[in-house]
Amino acid sequence: MKNEFSKRNIYPSPAESFGFSLEPIEDIKNDALIVLDANVLLLPFTTNVKNVEAIKAVYGQLVENDKIFLPAQAVREYLDNRAKKLSEMNEALQKKSNQSFNYVGAYPLLESLDEFQAVLELESELKKAIKDYQNKIRETLTAVHKWGWNDPVSKMYHEVLAERVLDDKEIDIEEISKDLENRNALKIPPGYKDQNKEQNQAGDLLIWHEILKIANEKGQHVIFVSGDDKVDWWHQSGKSPLYPRFELVDEFREKTSGKSFHIVSLSKLLELFETDPEVVDSIKTSEEEAKSEPVEDNPPKKRTPSYDPDCEYRKYLKIPISHGLFVNHEKWKVKGGYDTDTYSITEINEKGEVENEYQLFDSTKTSPPFSREIYGKKI
């Protein structure tokens, strides 16, 4: 659908949307389906055994009531990143086991001082303590290596969630591809923020389709447990998530005959099911630390310029179709009511030379009516 008619695509039944009232999460928590995202499956690798046991207890209760499910795509993403979590733990221990310590050293002139003799005695005790410390770290590393895939988190999942993975074989990939193209063009959540990823651009959308499918089959509300706070999942206040995007809530209502959709963090889920407040606070800390971790850039790889004649940035900048384009996503930010992506665009002429370079800003309002603005300039 063309951009000029995009709102008809986003809100196909405005009368029902206008009159819809979202069921409070506290009222539906015992009846709703609980669906776990990949980042929530990975989070326990950064917490302690007590918290893992508390999480296991809640998940076990939900399994008994046939209420918890794992999207197949979320499990794939978890499997892809699980080794990284264990490697990070191993690397941190390895660095500590090899860490060098600086001591005062030999100063013969000071040996007649009682104070310096006391320093040497303490230093001797310290050397022994550090050696014991490093040996214990190495023993810990040996135990970690023996885990294989039976680390405490994986073991907990094997015991509780092994039978809760959804089957996505019936999902039509060609249909998903068309849907992804449409959502990217019209900035329809979820997933359009991932369109410039080198891999897995459709990951969020695949999970969304699995959520819609299981909710429709079961005829139930859904509570999606996720640590993803990007603007294609959330309306934001400043840089903090405020409410799930209404487009998602309304599409869920449309596809499930009026059911409600919520997104919560793992800590909020545990709180809803009355887990020990100390555990909830600890999980909150882990969630905040996960958000603060730097996102690694994709490894560089050789690229070829795009000659797509339908590229909207090509049309906006009036670049001839005989010229190739390199489009690089530089950054995104939410400020002043706008969600803005910044791109650097390099124009390549018929000789393979750089013709022009541009900076382009693609902005979408973060509140209704979600209008979009594009501004570019030659640099």
Side-chain angles (χ1 to χ4, degrees):
M1 180 176 287
K2 295 182 179 180
N3 284 19
E4 51 264 41
F5 300 110
S6 62
K7 299 308 172 188
R8 293 180 66 90
N9 191 2
I10 299 170
Y11 302 111
S13 52
E16 286 86 351
S17 303
F18 187 72
F20 177 64
S21 180
L22 190 69
E23 293 282 347
I25 193 169
E26 290 78 10
D27 292 349
I28 66 171
K29 69 173 187 177
N30 293 320
D31 297 319
L33 305 179
I34 309 298
V35 180
L36 305 182
D37 200 0
N39 47 55
V40 168
L41 293 172
L42 291 166
L43 190 66
F45 284 101
T46 63
T47 191
N48 59 47
V49 174
K50 177 183 176 182
N51 293 349
V52 171
E53 289 300 317
I55 292 168
K56 179 180 180 181
V58 172
Y59 288 172
Q61 177 186 342
L62 292 168
V63 168
E64 287 181 8
N65 295 321
D66 193 28
K67 293 298 183 183
I68 190 168
F69 296 93
L70 281 60
Q73 181 63 24
V75 171
R76 293 186 185 100
E77 294 176 12
Y78 161 76
L79 294 172
D80 208 34
N81 287 280
R82 175 180 58 175
K84 180 182 176 183
K85 292 294 183 183
L86 292 171
S87 296
E88 288 172 352
M89 189 187 310
N90 187 79
E91 185 178 349
L93 288 169
Q94 196 77 317
K95 286 180 179 178
K96 289 294 183 182
S97 71
N98 296 321
Q99 186 174 352
S100 298
F101 292 86
N102 294 320
Y103 302 102
V104 171
Y107 291 94
L109 188 62
L110 302 177
E111 290 179 359
S112 62
L113 297 175
D114 292 340
E115 292 85 353
F116 186 66
Q117 289 298 323
V119 169
L120 293 179
E121 289 177 11
L122 289 171
E123 189 175 274
S124 177
E125 294 173 7
L126 184 60
K127 286 180 179 178
K128 182 179 183 303
I130 289 173
K131 184 177 180 180
D132 291 342
Y133 168 75
Q134 291 178 327
N135 286 336
K136 288 300 179 184
I137 291 177
R138 294 186 182 103
E139 289 175 13
T140 302
L141 280 166
T142 300
V144 169
H145 293 164
K146 290 179 180 179
W147 273 352
W149 295 121
N150 286 321
D151 58 89
V153 176
S154 300
K155 188 176 180 181
M156 183 265 284
Y157 289 154
H158 296 160
E159 292 174 359
V160 181
L161 297 178
E163 306 299 324
R164 310 309 296 177
V165 181
L166 297 174
D167 185 351
D168 66 348
K169 292 178 182 176
E170 294 182 5
I171 289 181
D172 189 330
I173 297 301
E174 291 186 8
E175 182 181 317
I176 297 290
S177 296
K178 292 178 182 177
D179 189 23
L180 181 65
E181 183 179 355
N182 181 60
R183 289 175 189 260
N184 286 343
L186 302 181
K187 301 287 185 180
I188 301 174
Y192 69 80
K193 293 298 295 185
D194 292 336
Q195 62 183 295
N196 294 296
K197 281 185 174 181
E198 295 290 351
Q199 297 182 11
N200 200 38
Q201 297 94 331
D204 283 0
L205 187 56
L206 284 165
I207 290 172
W208 180 239
H209 276 266
E210 290 188 73
I211 289 172
L212 294 174
K213 184 174 182 290
I214 187 67
N216 192 45
E217 289 173 354
K218 299 283 187 178
Q220 295 286 345
H221 309 290
V222 162
I223 298 173
F224 182 42
V225 190
S226 176
D228 194 338
D229 59 2
K230 296 198 301 291
V231 294
D232 56 347
W233 284 101
W234 290 91
H235 294 300
Q236 295 192 335
S237 176
K239 293 185 178 181
S240 300
L242 185 61
Y243 306 117
R245 287 286 292 261
F246 185 71
E247 300 97 317
L248 296 173
V249 173
D250 193 58
E251 182 180 356
F252 189 87
R253 173 204 60 79
E254 183 82 21
K255 297 291 176 62
T256 61
S257 303
K259 298 299 181 183
S260 293
F261 174 75
H262 291 271
I263 308 176
V264 300
S265 63
L266 177 58
S267 61
K268 179 61 178 178
L269 179 77
L270 297 175
E271 187 177 15
L272 283 170
F273 287 93
E274 301 177 348
T275 301
D276 181 350
E278 185 178 329
V279 171
V280 173
D281 289 341
S282 179
I283 295 295
K284 284 181 182 177
T285 300
S286 295
E287 289 168 342
E288 291 302 317
E289 290 173 350
K291 289 177 184 178
S292 65
E293 289 178 1
V295 178
E296 294 183 1
D297 294 329
N298 289 313
K301 67 176 188 176
K302 185 176 180 180
R303 295 198 303 158
T304 56
S306 168
Y307 292 88
D308 180 5
D310 296 319
C311 174
E312 56 186 341
Y313 299 152
R314 176 189 294 278
K315 293 177 181 178
Y316 174 83
L317 296 169
K318 298 181 180 178
I319 296 174
I321 60 174
S322 60
H323 287 191
L325 297 182
F326 286 115
V327 180
N328 295 309
H329 184 261
E330 300 292 339
K331 62 181 179 180
W332 74 273
K333 67 178 181 180
V334 178
K335 186 176 180 181
Y338 282 88
D339 163 25
T340 302
D341 289 281
T342 302
Y343 297 89
S344 62
I345 298 178
T346 304
E347 177 184 357
I348 306 297
N349 62 25
E350 292 91 339
K351 298 179 181 180
E353 301 168 340
V354 175
E355 183 77 13
N356 291 300
E357 293 184 336
Y358 306 87
Q359 188 174 43
L360 186 139
F361 305 92
D362 190 340
S363 300
T364 305
K365 287 193 69 175
T366 58
S367 57
F370 308 113
S371 57
R372 184 183 177 199
E373 298 176 10
I374 297 177
Y375 170 72
K377 61 181 181 181
K378 190 183 293 186
I379 56 176

